[in-house]
Amino acid sequence: MIQIDQLHVHFGKFIAVSGLTLRAVHGQVFGFLGPNGAGKTTTIRVLTGGLRPTAGTVRIAGHELPSGLDAVKPLCGYVPDTEDHIEELSGRENLRIFASLYRLPKQRVDEALGRLELSEAANLAVSRYSKGMRKKLLIAREILHRPKVLFCDEPTANLDAHSTGVVRRLLGELRDEGTTVFLTTHNMAEVEEICDRVAILSRGRLVECDTPTAFMTRHAERQVRVEYDVDGEHTRRVFDQDDPTARAELAALVGAAPELRVHSLDFRFEDVFRKLTGEAYE
Amino acid sequence: MKLRPHVLRALVRKDVARLLRNGPALMMLGLLVIVAFVTASSGLVEEAHAAPAAAEREPIPWIVYWDDNDWIRTLKRRARGRIELRFVDATELGSDPYPPDALVIEVRQPVLDRRNGVGRGVTRQHIRYRYPGSDPNALWPVTRWFLSASTAYFGEIPQFLETIEPITPPTRAQRTQAALESVSIADVLSLPLIATALLTMIQFFGACGLLVSLTAQERERGTLRALLLTPASFFEFMFSKALVHGGLAIGTSALAISALQPAALSSPLFWTTMVVMTCGYLAVGTLITSFAKNQAAPNLLSFAYLLVVGAMNLLAHRFEAFQFLSSLSFERYGLLFTIASLEQATSETASTASLLGSRQFFMFALIAIGLLLIATFVGQRRMRAD
């Protein structure tokens, strides 16, 4: 559904994206991660037709961008990280305008509002909405026309725990309906929970692309944290259990200081991310 | 460049809904219309419409000419049976020719217009108006006929050098009395000038100011980007704005003129002028919006635009080398044709067909519509990148 081949985006001498190659199939939640300034937003701008690539090809549903943008627009939705509603109008009016542009029946508006739990506030002016409600309205707007590809930039930012759950459930439902969800997020728990495949970008280059499980299997580390007192001074140390030297050192410490407190540490996806992007900076 | 009805309907609905919720904008337009109705309820409108009959009774206005050319002979023919005028050759006048109650239009020799004494000046036909007593507005009926008939003769709005003097210079007591009396705008301006000023403000605000403000807001918020990601094209986006803001400007102008000069509503010249002026101001608004990515910039750019137009007109007025600038200003043509359409609406020598077919009108339409096409192209290049 999404094909990116050797994408290069340069702004003068600054290289925003370099040699990016990716594939995302239909019915998949594809996580697109990276530190700030890695090139994620630039890539999404190319995918949504807002930017022309310096080199490389980008295809969505077989249509090459930017020449095939008019054919791609009805197939795509884009949930940006900033709200862009028509503030003077109500949530319902905002959705009705976009529904009219796609020639959709009015029932779609009520359906979208219901899915995002915005029905009660639908007739209030958007200027009165909270940040979370505005975010949900954005998502509601972009799923009106049941897009084949949905680009989401931080879809759960500013949402409370309940709304976050609603949105994640919705993204999962969209995936099950065959939509390709292209998701950028800084929330690693979200990546672990809903992403089928993840690409990590750093300094404009693709670091690695695989399923979250494969990332964990390949990069997770077994670590313990040890706390003990020496001459009245409290000490903490972390030991990598996969490192023989560290294991031997720990064994020696256990023998020398019998009053140790040992805690095993969970290695999460966030740690994988930090490990991969931190190494990329070295 | 496709225009799909369902897309236009949705975009027009969006713009209308935003306008209806924009209290300050509606207040401003409402205020301009109220000014029109207040002016209409003052004595000015009744005087303007009643005056021709009074002028035709007494005193009989004079037209004094220095050169019995084809123009003067045409005026004589046009006046016959329509308006009572006394045509007098200046060589036949004595030293103190005018009675104190005379209304006189002197068609003098062409002179070099060097008002304010700067630059080489421009040669213009000199017309001097003489009025009795202390009320220059007494001249209004005969000057309206004279300008209308001259426009019909020349086939375009003539650029006379006009001066105005009383027949009898006021005494010191009269000058003091005049200074003590409160003066309203109705004392110094004719109805067409007041109406033209109002219409220009309505056009500028409705077709340019509001367009710039609301579109800049959409750019800044990112709404434009969101709309362009739908099947709507940029051309449809701007076309819908032209429909809404153009309709607002023309509709409000019609409402204002229905109070001031209702006869103008049946004048093809009036409507054509309004449409062309609207196109010009839409073009200016689109260009300003193209260069304004946030809401702060448009105010500065609009002000800069007004300064540029003022400077162009000033240079054209003072220096012959810059006179061509005035022929590039659609606002100048718009003002002239608006005045002409309002004057001709009640004139017995109405000749809108000749004005609509004049070279000046062709230039007016060419500049305004050409500017609109350029603005659309520039806007598409700059705003689609958002």
Side-chain angles (χ1 to χ4, degrees):
Chain A
M1 183 57 70
I2 298 176
Q3 255 180 273
I4 304 175
D5 289 299
Q6 289 298 310
L7 176 66
H8 291 263
V9 182
H10 300 176
F11 298 115
K13 287 184 181 174
F14 177 72
I15 301 171
V17 178
S18 176
L20 179 66
T21 298
L22 280 181
R23 295 284 187 277
V25 300
H26 81 278
Q28 185 181 66
V29 178
F30 193 99
F32 195 51
L33 313 183
N36 295 327
K40 305 187 298 296
T41 303
T42 302
T43 304
I44 288 193
R45 285 185 67 191
V46 171
L47 288 168
T48 53
L51 204 58
R52 193 177 283 269
T54 308
T57 54
V58 173
R59 281 193 177 82
I60 294 179
H63 300 283
E64 188 167 331
L65 292 178
S67 55
L69 184 62
D70 283 343
V72 162
K73 279 203 290 188
L75 304 173
C76 294
Y78 174 44
V79 180
D81 57 344
T82 52
E83 300 100 27
D84 51 15
H85 299 298
I86 304 166
E87 296 275 322
E88 300 90 344
L89 307 186
S90 68
R92 190 184 301 279
E93 285 169 326
N94 266 270
L95 295 193
R96 275 194 182 154
I97 284 167
F98 280 81
S100 301
L101 290 172
Y102 286 101
R103 298 191 99 162
L104 301 172
K106 285 183 183 171
Q107 293 87 335
R108 290 277 189 97
V109 170
D110 296 323
E111 179 190 310
L113 289 168
R115 282 180 100 169
L116 276 299
E117 297 183 353
L118 284 172
S119 301
E120 280 185 16
N123 295 325
L124 278 179
V126 172
S127 54
R128 292 172 178 261
Y129 280 19
S130 66
K131 277 191 177 178
M133 290 165 74
R134 287 161 186 258
K135 191 63 145 189
K136 288 201 288 183
L137 187 66
L138 263 181
I139 299 170
R141 187 183 79 197
E142 296 303 320
I143 64 169
L144 275 175
H145 59 291
R146 293 177 187 160
K148 294 279 186 286
V149 180
L150 182 65
F151 297 100
C152 294
D153 203 340
E154 308 265 7
T156 56
N158 299 313
L159 294 184
D160 59 36
H162 172 74
S163 298
T164 299
V166 168
V167 170
R168 287 180 188 172
R169 241 186 340 268
L170 173 67
L171 295 180
E173 286 167 10
L174 290 172
R175 173 199 42 215
D176 296 338
E177 289 166 10
T179 302
T180 303
V181 179
F182 197 87
L183 170 75
T184 67
T185 181
H186 288 295
N187 187 324
M188 297 303 156
E190 193 159 275
V191 172
E192 288 184 273
E193 185 180 329
I194 62 172
C195 289
D196 300 307
R197 202 164 170 80
V198 175
I200 295 179
L201 210 65
S202 181
R203 287 188 170 177
R205 291 177 186 278
L206 180 67
V207 176
E208 207 162 318
C209 181
D210 212 325
T211 63
T213 305
F215 270 110
M216 292 297 289
T217 305
R218 206 159 41 245
H219 297 290
E221 294 171 355
R222 293 182 307 141
Q223 295 178 336
V224 295
R225 188 179 72 233
V226 174
E227 296 179 29
Y228 57 93
D229 294 321
V230 174
D231 299 329
E233 198 174 316
H234 187 74
T235 307
R236 271 186 202 170
R237 289 180 64 183
V238 174
F239 293 89
D240 183 357
Q241 291 297 285
D242 293 319
D243 181 1
T245 311
R247 276 209 306 274
E249 200 179 334
L250 178 59
L253 188 60
V254 169
E259 291 181 11
L260 288 176
R261 288 178 294 282
V262 180
H263 309 272
S264 66
L265 299 178
D266 292 327
F267 199 83
R268 294 163 299 176
F269 195 87
E270 186 175 340
D271 300 304
V272 171
F273 177 81
R274 200 177 295 121
K275 179 181 175 185
L276 287 174
T277 54
E279 284 173 1
Y281 275 113
E282 287 170 4
Chain B
M1 283 192 196
K2 47 191 173 182
L3 292 173
R4 290 161 292 183
H6 74 277
V7 172
L8 290 178
R9 248 196 320 271
L11 294 173
V12 165
R13 203 164 64 228
K14 179 235 335 158
D15 286 325
V16 169
R18 290 189 70 204
L19 268 174
L20 290 176
R21 286 164 173 79
N22 192 329
L26 295 177
M27 268 173 51
M28 180 65 185
L29 285 171
L31 196 63
L32 291 170
V33 173
I34 287 169
V35 167
F37 277 86
V38 167
T39 306
S41 64
S42 69
L44 184 64
V45 173
E46 286 79 13
E47 284 172 15
H49 293 317
E56 284 164 23
R57 288 197 297 276
E58 57 178 347
I60 298 172
W62 298 35
I63 292 187
V64 178
Y65 54 90
W66 269 250
D67 180 12
D68 189 10
N69 52 30
D70 185 58
W71 171 28
I72 298 298
R73 289 193 289 276
T74 304
L75 290 178
K76 288 178 185 174
R77 272 200 309 277
R78 285 183 188 270
R80 216 168 287 144
R82 291 196 181 96
I83 182 170
E84 206 162 350
L85 291 172
R86 185 180 167 189
F87 286 85
V88 177
D89 191 322
T91 57
E92 296 168 9
L93 292 175
S95 58
D96 191 10
Y98 307 132
D101 63 345
L103 286 161
V104 182
I105 296 177
E106 294 177 354
V107 182
R108 305 177 78 84
Q109 300 287 1
V111 294
L112 199 59
D113 180 2
R114 292 191 63 207
R115 281 176 284 188
N116 301 318
V118 179
R120 287 177 55 198
V122 176
T123 302
R124 294 192 203 278
Q125 174 67 53
H126 181 202
I127 309 293
R128 187 164 75 173
Y129 302 103
R130 309 289 301 275
Y131 59 92
S134 59
D135 180 17
N137 284 316
L139 278 167
W140 161 236
V142 66
T143 56
R144 189 180 64 191
W145 177 88
F146 172 73
L147 290 172
S148 178
S150 300
T151 301
Y153 172 77
F154 288 110
E156 59 183 31
I157 299 165
Q159 301 301 298
F160 297 140
L161 168 60
E162 293 167 306
T163 54
I164 183 165
E165 286 177 22
I167 295 288
T168 310
T171 62
R172 188 172 173 176
Q174 285 172 330
R175 283 202 303 270
T176 307
Q177 184 62 29
L180 288 173
E181 284 171 359
S182 65
V183 176
S184 76
I185 196 164
D187 294 328
V188 296
L189 287 175
S190 66
L191 178 64
L193 279 177
I194 295 174
T196 300
L198 266 176
L199 291 177
T200 305
M201 279 192 274
I202 289 170
Q203 290 274 321
F204 182 78
F205 185 70
C208 179
L210 274 181
L211 171 70
V212 165
S213 174
L214 296 178
T215 309
Q217 217 173 45
E218 286 179 330
R219 281 189 87 182
E220 192 176 29
R221 286 176 185 167
T223 312
L224 171 60
R225 179 190 54 192
L227 287 167
L228 293 182
L229 284 175
T230 68
S233 67
F234 178 81
F235 184 68
E236 286 166 326
F237 175 78
M238 290 310 296
F239 191 83
S240 66
K241 287 202 174 288
L243 286 178
V244 172
H245 290 276
L248 180 70
I250 294 173
T252 312
S253 300
L255 193 59
I257 215 64
S258 67
L260 292 169
Q261 186 81 297
L265 292 173
S266 58
S267 164
L269 179 62
F270 172 77
W271 288 107
T272 315
T273 303
M274 287 296 104
V275 168
V276 176
M277 276 281 270
T278 300
C279 287
Y281 281 125
L282 285 172
V284 172
T286 304
L287 275 172
I288 291 176
T289 312
S290 303
F291 291 95
K293 284 199 169 186
N294 55 55
Q295 294 178 64
N299 294 327
L300 292 172
L301 288 172
S302 300
F303 182 64
Y305 167 74
L306 290 173
L307 285 179
V308 165
V309 169
M312 272 173 63
N313 282 304
L314 191 67
L315 285 171
H317 180 70
R318 290 192 178 190
F319 301 99
E320 193 163 359
F322 289 102
Q323 204 181 1
F324 74 95
L325 289 176
S326 64
S327 62
L328 298 177
S329 166
F330 77 87
E331 291 94 341
R332 178 181 161 274
Y333 289 120
L335 290 174
L336 293 175
F337 281 109
T338 304
I339 294 174
S341 68
L342 296 176
E343 288 177 345
Q344 287 201 343
T346 54
S347 167
E348 294 176 356
T349 60
S351 56
T352 55
S354 63
L355 279 179
L356 285 171
S358 68
R359 188 190 63 85
Q360 282 180 329
F361 200 91
F362 173 74
M363 286 299 294
F364 175 37
L366 184 68
I367 293 168
I369 294 169
L371 207 53
L372 186 59
L373 293 173
I374 292 170
T376 307
F377 175 73
V378 171
Q380 191 167 27
R381 293 292 298 268
R382 290 188 62 89
M383 287 197 263
R384 268 176 65 171
D386 282 351

